[in-house]
Amino acid sequence: MKATAVVGLASQVQFVIKFPAANMATGVLAYTAKKYGERDEDAVKRASTQALYYSIIIGITFFLLALLLAFIVPVIMGFDNKLRVEFRNYFIIAYSSLLLFVVTSILGSLMRSVGYVKALMIVNGLVDILDIIFNYIFIFPSRVVKVFGKNIKLFGFGLGVNGAAIGTAISVAVGGIIILIMVKRKEKLGFEKSLPDPKMLGTFFKVGVPSALNGFITGLGRLIFTTYVTSLGTVELAAHSIAYTTEAFFYIPAVGMERAVAPLVGQTLGEKDDKKFNSIVKLSTILAMGSMLILGIILFINSGQITASFSNDKKIISMASGCLRIVAFSEPIFALSLVMQGIFEGAGRTKEPFVIGTLTMWISRVAICGIGVKIFGAGLDFVWYCMVLDNFLRAIFLTLRYIQIHKRS
């Protein structure tokens, strides 16, 4: 149970490190996609080299932040000394490959902006597979298992929680190295022998910083939100972590649609094709909301069976499945908010999602949830209702802002 809590909390902290760092890629994506739509090949190639410099600056900055949080977070959460050490070790190991994670995020966005989506999908798939394999090897000790009636010895290091961190760090590092090689060899991209260009880097930062601040401030809100869950008890934290991980798997299609729509929006703006732009917005919205409606129904029906695969504790299973049933039917609305965010990012308008995301996060997940849990003694169900409220408010305000801008243009 403690291991689940440590990993679950570490996964929440990624919202103030990994997500903001990855969001900095928006500056590269918006700029490069637009230049690609304008058929400015020279600008695209220059952007490739500058994106590498940009990755190094951001990667080092966020790695230093991760080291700081490794010591601060377990104290804020009120962990005992043993749990603090376990969290610190796991966290430092897991984030040791953060620079290459940033390289993957930023150069991956560069590849998406010019249409190298399949190659990127293969790399991401490989990283996920390696993550599973390495986690299996490093977490569990060597043992004998039966396969089709035959005993097969599987090698393992038996490092437990730290093994999970090592496995993840290695898989992320492999992905970053592959992305570097691919960008260098791609005809539309490649690296030039040139110094950092302050003007282009400034353009990246101008769009990327609001997006990163959106990730950081909403992530900080999520971290405070998690302290409310932690205060409910270890069982509640474990149930919350399992439900959160499960839901993340189910909203992958919506995240994919957000990532797909952003470069397409940037390209069509470069092409100045309004008809194509409107078609992309409508189709992506329908596909994202439709797929998430189906997955939400599946999640609601099978919540108990799914959570049972994560834990043998009946109380944890009951709590986690209850959380999933609460969030299940809000999935289409969540998909809408992601698509809208992708549209704004592709257009290089990252201030709107930043302002709206900050307001909805801090009103629903921080203020309302905090009052409910700390003052009125609300439980885990109330926490998840606050999450749903955040998703609804964000989708509504982003959509209204999009309609307002679209009417003006």
Side-chain angles (χ1 to χ4, degrees):
M1 191 183 297
K2 287 185 176 181
T4 304
V6 168
V7 177
L9 179 57
S11 68
Q12 296 299 310
V13 179
Q14 72 178 331
F15 288 113
V16 295
I17 299 179
K18 281 192 171 183
F19 280 26
N23 285 357
M24 290 294 292
T26 307
V28 174
L29 185 145
Y31 176 87
T32 312
K34 187 176 180 182
K35 292 298 179 183
Y36 184 71
E38 293 171 353
R39 304 293 187 266
D40 191 342
E41 296 178 4
D42 290 337
V44 171
K45 282 190 174 291
R46 288 197 305 273
S48 302
T49 304
Q50 298 307 312
L52 181 58
Y53 288 126
Y54 185 66
S55 301
I56 294 169
I57 294 168
I58 293 164
I60 293 173
T61 301
F62 277 90
F63 176 70
L64 294 175
L65 175 62
L67 289 179
L68 182 64
L69 289 179
F71 289 87
I72 293 175
V73 169
V75 177
I76 294 173
M77 293 298 178
F79 283 175
D80 58 40
N81 288 333
K82 185 178 179 181
L83 210 55
R84 288 181 189 181
V85 173
E86 288 181 9
F87 176 86
R88 191 182 306 140
N89 292 342
Y90 175 88
F91 199 77
I92 291 174
I93 294 168
Y95 284 83
S96 61
S97 60
L98 185 62
L99 176 58
L100 286 167
F101 167 81
V102 172
V103 167
T104 301
S105 300
I106 292 175
L107 297 188
S109 291
L110 180 77
M111 292 176 65
R112 283 195 292 129
S113 68
V114 298
Y116 291 123
V117 180
K118 290 182 181 178
L120 189 61
M121 182 181 67
I122 292 170
V123 175
N124 289 334
L126 175 63
V127 169
D128 290 339
I129 293 170
L130 289 177
D131 191 28
I132 294 169
I133 294 171
F134 288 141
N135 269 266
Y136 195 83
I137 292 171
F138 284 101
I139 292 173
F140 301 105
S142 297
R143 61 210 174 282
V144 176
V145 298
K146 279 193 174 183
V147 180
F148 299 114
K150 294 183 179 181
N151 290 330
I152 298 176
K153 186 175 182 180
L154 297 177
F155 175 77
F157 290 99
L159 299 177
V161 173
N162 287 341
I166 293 170
T168 299
I170 293 174
S171 61
V172 168
V174 170
I177 293 168
I178 293 173
I179 290 290
L180 275 169
I181 295 170
M182 291 179 72
V183 170
K184 183 180 179 180
R185 294 182 177 180
K186 291 296 181 182
E187 183 181 351
K188 299 174 187 176
L189 303 173
F191 298 124
E192 301 173 338
K193 291 183 179 179
S194 62
L195 296 172
D197 181 349
K199 186 176 180 181
M200 189 176 291
L201 289 173
T203 302
F204 294 164
F205 276 104
K206 186 178 180 181
V207 176
V209 167
S211 184
L213 284 174
N214 182 22
F216 182 79
I217 293 178
T218 57
L220 186 60
R222 281 189 173 99
L223 195 56
I224 295 171
F225 173 74
T226 304
T227 65
Y228 302 151
V229 181
T230 306
S231 68
L232 295 175
T234 305
V235 172
E236 284 81 359
L237 178 58
H240 175 79
S241 300
I242 289 171
Y244 211 101
T245 302
T246 303
E247 194 217 356
F249 175 79
F250 273 80
Y251 63 62
I252 286 175
V255 173
M257 195 60 66
E258 177 198 8
R259 292 180 178 177
V261 74
L264 291 173
V265 164
Q267 290 170 16
T268 53
L269 289 175
E271 295 168 358
K272 296 180 173 58
D273 189 337
D274 292 338
K275 187 177 179 181
K276 186 177 178 182
F277 175 85
N278 291 330
S279 297
I280 289 170
V281 172
K282 289 177 182 177
L283 182 60
S284 59
T285 302
I286 292 169
L287 288 175
M289 294 187 72
S291 62
M292 291 306 294
L293 174 61
I294 295 169
L295 288 174
I297 294 170
I298 294 172
L299 183 62
F300 182 87
I301 295 172
N302 298 288
S303 59
Q305 294 91 318
I306 294 169
T307 52
S309 64
F310 288 91
S311 175
N312 295 322
D313 190 307
K314 291 183 179 179
K315 191 174 182 180
I316 291 176
I317 293 170
S318 176
M319 284 185 176
S321 59
C323 294
L324 291 177
R325 284 193 290 271
I326 290 170
V327 80
F329 287 111
S330 72
E331 295 300 281
I333 299 300
F334 182 50
L336 176 61
S337 70
L338 288 176
V339 170
M340 286 295 120
Q341 184 159 315
I343 293 166
F344 279 106
E345 289 174 350
R349 300 185 66 115
T350 49
K351 290 181 182 178
E352 281 93 344
F354 166 51
V355 173
I356 291 170
T358 299
L359 287 173
T360 61
M361 164 63 67
W362 286 75
I363 288 171
S364 58
R365 299 201 195 199
V366 177
I368 295 175
C369 187
I371 292 169
V373 172
K374 296 295 185 179
I375 297 178
F376 294 101
L380 190 59
D381 284 357
F382 179 78
V383 169
W384 276 69
Y385 281 120
C386 290
M387 286 175 57
V388 171
L389 176 63
D390 178 29
N391 293 339
F392 267 90
L393 291 176
R394 193 182 307 241
I396 290 168
F397 289 135
L398 282 173
T399 303
L400 290 175
R401 180 57 179 158
Y402 166 76
I403 293 170
Q404 184 183 36
I405 294 170
H406 195 59
K407 281 183 178 179
R408 288 178 184 173
S409 59

